[in-house]
Amino acid sequence: RLSNWEERELADLPARIEAAEARLAELNGRIADPALYRGPAARRAEVEDAQRQAAADLSALYARWEALEERA
């Protein structure tokens, strides 16, 4: 059985996952843009770091969703 706050969290997860997927897609698009590689290396590293973090965040959201679904 889930607590009330866990039920709310589970209900909110699809929207949070959708937003995280959109963010990751935006960053993947920026990484695929050749202009990024013509600019400063520091900017490229910043975008790559953000992409890695966004992927990790999305993975954590999916793991949390799975854990809550198993308990529901």
Side-chain angles (χ1 to χ4, degrees):
R1 170 118 168 85
L2 297 176
S3 67
N4 288 339
W5 69 269
E6 288 173 322
E7 288 177 5
R8 283 191 301 274
E9 182 183 10
L10 182 58
D12 290 342
L13 274 170
R16 292 176 59 199
I17 288 170
E18 186 177 332
E21 286 175 339
R23 173 73 174 142
L24 183 57
E26 184 264 331
L27 289 165
N28 286 339
R30 290 175 64 188
I31 287 173
D33 184 358
L36 180 64
Y37 299 92
R38 289 191 294 268
R43 181 68 184 140
R44 181 177 65 244
E46 181 181 303
V47 173
E48 290 170 345
D49 288 345
Q51 188 268 351
R52 280 191 290 279
Q53 184 61 52
D57 292 346
L58 182 58
S59 180
L61 286 170
Y62 275 122
R64 181 63 176 157
W65 190 16
E66 184 178 333
L68 290 173
E69 282 289 329
E70 285 178 3
R71 291 187 45 222

